[in-house]
Amino acid sequence: MLTYELKKSPGVPLYEALYRCIRADILSGNLKPGEKLPSKRALSQNLEVSKITVEGAYGQLLAEGYIRAQEKVGYFVEDIPQSVHVPVENPSAPVDPEASAELQSGGPEHFPFSVWSKLQREVMLDYGERLLLPMPNQGIRELRCAIAEHLAGFRGMHVSPENILIGAGTDFLYNLLIQLLGRDKIYAVEDPGYGKIRKIYSAGGVRCIGAPMDHCGVRPECLENADVLHISPSHHFPTGLVTPVQRRQELLSWAEGTERYIIEDDYDSEFRFDAHPMPTMQSLDRKGRVIYMNTFSKTLAPSIRISYMVLPTALMETYREKLGFYTCTVSSFEQYTLARFLSRGYFEKHINRMRKFYKQRRNRVVSALNGCAFANLLQIREEDAGLHFLLKVDTELSDEALTALCARAGIHLRTLSSYYRGEAPEEVRHHLVINYAGLREETLEQVLKNIEKTP
Amino acid sequence: MLTYELKKSPGVPLYEALYRCIRADILSGNLKPGEKLPSKRALSQNLEVSKITVEGAYGQLLAEGYIRAQEKVGYFVEDIPQSVHVPVENPSAPVDPEASAELQSGGPEHFPFSVWSKLQREVMLDYGERLLLPMPNQGIRELRCAIAEHLAGFRGMHVSPENILIGAGTDFLYNLLIQLLGRDKIYAVEDPGYGKIRKIYSAGGVRCIGAPMDHCGVRPECLENADVLHISPSHHFPTGLVTPVQRRQELLSWAEGTERYIIEDDYDSEFRFDAHPMPTMQSLDRKGRVIYMNTFSKTLAPSIRISYMVLPTALMETYREKLGFYTCTVSSFEQYTLARFLSRGYFEKHINRMRKFYKQRRNRVVSALNGCAFANLLQIREEDAGLHFLLKVDTELSDEALTALCARAGIHLRTLSSYYRGEAPEEVRHHLVINYAGLREETLEQVLKNIEKTP
């Protein structure tokens, strides 16, 4: 039987301490692939903790792909490559929303105007003339430090402020990456996927190919010709897929020992509701192949243009040498304001409020769907993350007709199939992508009625 | 004898009214190339205006290349192509400074903190949630309108807000232009010139060639292979050269009727001290070949990242079609704040203060130079514009030795020759580029003493 001394430490819930112990045993090989874990009841009795604590730990391990559940039999250790040591200390929550006009952020009513305004005034008074001096091209140090701390606390990432580069939006950062990694490289983007990313790479003058996906994420065997892979493993758009840890390892292996890079687009991990988000690929990366990217445009407001990326050290050096002449694109006023917003805990509070707000909205949307006259024809598919889910509709209509129907009801929805580069497979038909962040349930009900009326 | 009815209109000084009348006659052909203008005294008597008024008008015409002066003989009309009608209504003053870390902006002590801060608060209160909504990708309309008005008032440009594109710094805008105009094009940049521009084009993956210059600016006959010309005709860095109107016409002819474009980098025209700045090439352009670019980073502070460009209508349409998906890179807060700063006249006041401040600084630097023990070895070359001048030193030292000497005295100056792509011609040797905006005269005196001590 597993036995651990679970120390209480401030800020770390007991279930998380347990989760970390078991994960460490899996990664070190103390728990072997295929090995059965004790039942929740047995383990809770053995460790003298509540069953809820064990459930929390197993739930997190399950969500991250370290273990699998077999119905009515129990939990089993997955086959995780041993070489990896995950340095995650306190996985918890941020991401890159702006990669998306479609992934519209929802409730601006929650933006803490008075706090932001107060911080702006403070910054003016405290920094004065220093605000007007040329700033470091990488972004001001205060903000990079605050982001590093934030990533440590919420995402379990250990990142030096020296490796962080601030920029006015991810669109801009993608373009910098093309210049950094090379225009002669082949960039692979998820297929299906968020169309704007493809557009940016194409406008940037590089060859961009589709990276086919299965139920675990991008398929490494299809990446033979690619040099750079752009993915959102924590929450794929539009399928909602969370790439399990094993596939993440396989993708890392694809990049390791080569000149290949993975751009990890962590665009909406803050909005995972019921469990901690999966640790980032950047945390798993030992060979400097992962570039982590995120933004504040989704979490704060789409009109605030502050994004950042974390470059591996060697790549950061190349950046300074080759592209260090670029002036930082974000005004120092906003950088200082955001630095204080982060370091004083306002961001954390804001995210918590938003998460709650979105969760309520999601639940209302789900209720509306469940309560409608033809609920039996609908099936919600979600992965407990982000601000959208898939709604499978049992209908004879084509996807085009379904979209047109929604549009007539005043709601612009897209189907999953429309996110495919080429023809979508049969099984993805009739899936509507529901961004509940910006969706009003009245509108949704109207759409449902319209669909109902249609033969 | 020239006879005009000079109407007094608010905001237009009499000398300017006269300047416009004479210019109109030159452009319409009423005054023929080579024709002698009346003497200042004769014209002032004829028009019943003061001699100063006539002097002001002739000075402006001279500065812009419409007339030439022949010592002790008088003023003569230059040979200006007739086809052009200049729509300049009220030429007066803005530019793009940020194209330059070297062209460092000087006195942040003059930034109107309290006004900016007040406007920020106002914007928060007045716009509220609207600040958080996704904004137009081109930039918010209020700012584009304010910029269009500003350009009309200060630069005599008639520009629609629809043709203005806001971006976080000119570095970023150059990169957008590469994507818009094409990566297969050949870009010509001034040689000598500001090195960063060349770096940006090269990093952007395009072929970048040098555009050789003579005493009037870029030589059109050397542009046979180029598709896009990037120039700063109002004040070339580092020579300070102002391209006269005739050469501007020749450059426009180079672009007209082809797929060629001219990027007009108007980076520091606000700081012209003794006369109105030359009208922009954008104002002369009838065929949609000129892209005008400017920034607020130099006039306000290098840490404020707001720049813009004015695209010809057809090009703007192509932009929307091809690149309209790019999200605007400047936060809406700052856009709204700057819009009010402009439209309420604060910017104009600020520029006037800065201009005065820089003029004083320039005069102190000039006095220090004139008063030093070897003033006879120094010669100041300037074109009455911008924040730098050339200082010719009569010395046996090489340019490298001269630079090293300054560096030892703690002042980092570059010589004109160092801005050449290849070998600089003999006659540009021994010219120091003096950016007086950021220069303290004590430091300068120290340098002068050091040079003096050197054999």
mmCIF file of all heavy atoms in Angstrom, chain B residues 43-62:
data_model
loop_
_atom_site.group_PDB
_atom_site.id
_atom_site.type_symbol
_atom_site.label_atom_id
_atom_site.label_comp_id
_atom_site.label_asym_id
_atom_site.label_seq_id
_atom_site.Cartn_x
_atom_site.Cartn_y
_atom_site.Cartn_z
ATOM 1 N N LEU B 43 8.173 94.651 -53.121
ATOM 2 C CA LEU B 43 6.929 93.888 -52.927
ATOM 3 C C LEU B 43 6.196 94.358 -51.666
ATOM 4 O O LEU B 43 4.965 94.455 -51.659
ATOM 5 C CB LEU B 43 7.217 92.380 -52.860
ATOM 6 C CG LEU B 43 5.988 91.478 -52.834
ATOM 7 C CD1 LEU B 43 5.080 91.724 -54.041
ATOM 8 C CD2 LEU B 43 6.368 90.007 -52.783
ATOM 9 N N SER B 44 6.949 94.652 -50.619
ATOM 10 C CA SER B 44 6.280 95.082 -49.377
ATOM 11 C C SER B 44 5.579 96.420 -49.611
ATOM 12 O O SER B 44 4.479 96.648 -49.116
ATOM 13 C CB SER B 44 7.279 95.150 -48.211
ATOM 14 O OG SER B 44 8.091 96.304 -48.306
ATOM 15 N N GLN B 45 6.202 97.296 -50.381
ATOM 16 C CA GLN B 45 5.551 98.574 -50.693
ATOM 17 C C GLN B 45 4.304 98.355 -51.544
ATOM 18 O O GLN B 45 3.234 98.901 -51.275
ATOM 19 C CB GLN B 45 6.533 99.496 -51.420
ATOM 20 C CG GLN B 45 7.566 100.093 -50.470
ATOM 21 C CD GLN B 45 8.640 100.881 -51.197
ATOM 22 O OE1 GLN B 45 8.673 100.904 -52.436
ATOM 23 N NE2 GLN B 45 9.512 101.533 -50.436
ATOM 24 N N ASN B 46 4.446 97.522 -52.564
ATOM 25 C CA ASN B 46 3.330 97.264 -53.468
ATOM 26 C C ASN B 46 2.124 96.660 -52.741
ATOM 27 O O ASN B 46 0.979 97.023 -52.996
ATOM 28 C CB ASN B 46 3.807 96.317 -54.572
ATOM 29 C CG ASN B 46 2.723 96.083 -55.615
ATOM 30 O OD1 ASN B 46 2.101 97.033 -56.079
ATOM 31 N ND2 ASN B 46 2.496 94.830 -55.975
ATOM 32 N N LEU B 47 2.387 95.725 -51.832
ATOM 33 C CA LEU B 47 1.285 95.020 -51.150
ATOM 34 C C LEU B 47 0.863 95.712 -49.861
ATOM 35 O O LEU B 47 -0.078 95.294 -49.188
ATOM 36 C CB LEU B 47 1.700 93.570 -50.836
ATOM 37 C CG LEU B 47 2.006 92.676 -52.045
ATOM 38 C CD1 LEU B 47 2.428 91.293 -51.556
ATOM 39 C CD2 LEU B 47 0.790 92.563 -52.967
ATOM 40 N N GLU B 48 1.616 96.728 -49.512
ATOM 41 C CA GLU B 48 1.366 97.431 -48.247
ATOM 42 C C GLU B 48 1.407 96.484 -47.054
ATOM 43 O O GLU B 48 0.522 96.458 -46.200
ATOM 44 C CB GLU B 48 0.045 98.198 -48.314
ATOM 45 C CG GLU B 48 0.118 99.308 -49.367
ATOM 46 C CD GLU B 48 -1.179 100.070 -49.507
ATOM 47 O OE1 GLU B 48 -2.222 99.498 -49.164
ATOM 48 O OE2 GLU B 48 -1.143 101.223 -49.956
ATOM 49 N N VAL B 49 2.425 95.661 -47.065
ATOM 50 C CA VAL B 49 2.681 94.802 -45.886
ATOM 51 C C VAL B 49 4.107 95.098 -45.437
ATOM 52 O O VAL B 49 4.887 95.729 -46.158
ATOM 53 C CB VAL B 49 2.539 93.301 -46.206
ATOM 54 C CG1 VAL B 49 1.132 92.959 -46.640
ATOM 55 C CG2 VAL B 49 3.548 92.870 -47.272
ATOM 56 N N SER B 50 4.459 94.622 -44.243
ATOM 57 C CA SER B 50 5.809 94.905 -43.753
ATOM 58 C C SER B 50 6.833 94.084 -44.530
ATOM 59 O O SER B 50 6.510 93.041 -45.114
ATOM 60 C CB SER B 50 5.918 94.580 -42.268
ATOM 61 O OG SER B 50 6.056 93.183 -42.107
ATOM 62 N N LYS B 51 8.080 94.536 -44.513
ATOM 63 C CA LYS B 51 9.141 93.817 -45.195
ATOM 64 C C LYS B 51 9.342 92.431 -44.550
ATOM 65 O O LYS B 51 9.699 91.459 -45.210
ATOM 66 C CB LYS B 51 10.433 94.640 -45.105
ATOM 67 C CG LYS B 51 11.400 94.336 -46.257
ATOM 68 C CD LYS B 51 12.634 95.241 -46.193
ATOM 69 C CE LYS B 51 13.877 94.459 -46.586
ATOM 70 N NZ LYS B 51 15.108 95.052 -46.061
ATOM 71 N N ILE B 52 9.053 92.369 -43.231
ATOM 72 C CA ILE B 52 9.206 91.089 -42.506
ATOM 73 C C ILE B 52 8.254 90.037 -43.063
ATOM 74 O O ILE B 52 8.583 88.869 -43.177
ATOM 75 C CB ILE B 52 8.970 91.319 -40.990
ATOM 76 C CG1 ILE B 52 10.139 92.140 -40.446
ATOM 77 C CG2 ILE B 52 8.844 89.998 -40.237
ATOM 78 C CD1 ILE B 52 9.943 92.655 -39.043
ATOM 79 N N THR B 53 7.051 90.491 -43.410
ATOM 80 C CA THR B 53 6.078 89.568 -43.994
ATOM 81 C C THR B 53 6.627 88.972 -45.292
ATOM 82 O O THR B 53 6.574 87.755 -45.522
ATOM 83 C CB THR B 53 4.748 90.302 -44.281
ATOM 84 O OG1 THR B 53 4.250 90.802 -43.047
ATOM 85 C CG2 THR B 53 3.717 89.367 -44.894
ATOM 86 N N VAL B 54 7.179 89.811 -46.129
ATOM 87 C CA VAL B 54 7.731 89.331 -47.401
ATOM 88 C C VAL B 54 8.923 88.410 -47.140
ATOM 89 O O VAL B 54 9.057 87.351 -47.753
ATOM 90 C CB VAL B 54 8.137 90.511 -48.307
ATOM 91 C CG1 VAL B 54 8.683 89.993 -49.637
ATOM 92 C CG2 VAL B 54 6.949 91.436 -48.547
ATOM 93 N N GLU B 55 9.745 88.804 -46.191
ATOM 94 C CA GLU B 55 10.894 87.963 -45.849
ATOM 95 C C GLU B 55 10.465 86.561 -45.403
ATOM 96 O O GLU B 55 11.047 85.556 -45.789
ATOM 97 C CB GLU B 55 11.716 88.605 -44.731
ATOM 98 C CG GLU B 55 12.770 89.562 -45.263
ATOM 99 C CD GLU B 55 13.479 90.326 -44.141
ATOM 100 O OE1 GLU B 55 13.174 90.074 -42.949
ATOM 101 O OE2 GLU B 55 14.319 91.164 -44.466
ATOM 102 N N GLY B 56 9.404 86.539 -44.589
ATOM 103 C CA GLY B 56 8.887 85.251 -44.104
ATOM 104 C C GLY B 56 8.421 84.381 -45.260
ATOM 105 O O GLY B 56 8.710 83.187 -45.329
ATOM 106 N N ALA B 57 7.691 85.002 -46.199
ATOM 107 C CA ALA B 57 7.162 84.251 -47.342
ATOM 108 C C ALA B 57 8.300 83.747 -48.234
ATOM 109 O O ALA B 57 8.344 82.564 -48.599
ATOM 110 C CB ALA B 57 6.211 85.124 -48.145
ATOM 111 N N TYR B 58 9.247 84.625 -48.562
ATOM 112 C CA TYR B 58 10.376 84.223 -49.397
ATOM 113 C C TYR B 58 11.197 83.129 -48.691
ATOM 114 O O TYR B 58 11.659 82.177 -49.326
ATOM 115 C CB TYR B 58 11.275 85.437 -49.717
ATOM 116 C CG TYR B 58 10.772 86.315 -50.850
ATOM 117 C CD1 TYR B 58 9.435 86.266 -51.252
ATOM 118 C CD2 TYR B 58 11.622 87.191 -51.528
ATOM 119 C CE1 TYR B 58 8.972 87.077 -52.294
ATOM 120 C CE2 TYR B 58 11.165 87.993 -52.565
ATOM 121 C CZ TYR B 58 9.838 87.940 -52.941
ATOM 122 O OH TYR B 58 9.387 88.738 -53.963
ATOM 123 N N GLY B 59 11.355 83.294 -47.389
ATOM 124 C CA GLY B 59 12.137 82.299 -46.613
ATOM 125 C C GLY B 59 11.528 80.910 -46.729
ATOM 126 O O GLY B 59 12.226 79.906 -46.944
ATOM 127 N N GLN B 60 10.210 80.868 -46.616
ATOM 128 C CA GLN B 60 9.524 79.575 -46.691
ATOM 129 C C GLN B 60 9.646 78.988 -48.105
ATOM 130 O O GLN B 60 9.899 77.800 -48.289
ATOM 131 C CB GLN B 60 8.061 79.763 -46.287
ATOM 132 C CG GLN B 60 7.233 78.487 -46.235
ATOM 133 C CD GLN B 60 7.562 77.614 -45.020
ATOM 134 O OE1 GLN B 60 8.279 78.031 -44.108
ATOM 135 N NE2 GLN B 60 7.069 76.389 -45.033
ATOM 136 N N LEU B 61 9.458 79.820 -49.107
ATOM 137 C CA LEU B 61 9.555 79.355 -50.502
ATOM 138 C C LEU B 61 10.968 78.844 -50.802
ATOM 139 O O LEU B 61 11.155 77.853 -51.503
ATOM 140 C CB LEU B 61 9.199 80.501 -51.471
ATOM 141 C CG LEU B 61 7.730 80.927 -51.471
ATOM 142 C CD1 LEU B 61 7.570 82.297 -52.151
ATOM 143 C CD2 LEU B 61 6.867 79.876 -52.192
ATOM 144 N N LEU B 62 11.941 79.535 -50.211
ATOM 145 C CA LEU B 62 13.339 79.173 -50.374
ATOM 146 C C LEU B 62 13.595 77.814 -49.712
ATOM 147 O O LEU B 62 14.195 76.909 -50.301
ATOM 148 C CB LEU B 62 14.172 80.257 -49.681
ATOM 149 C CG LEU B 62 15.579 80.563 -50.171
ATOM 150 C CD1 LEU B 62 15.602 80.864 -51.667
ATOM 151 C CD2 LEU B 62 16.141 81.773 -49.385
#
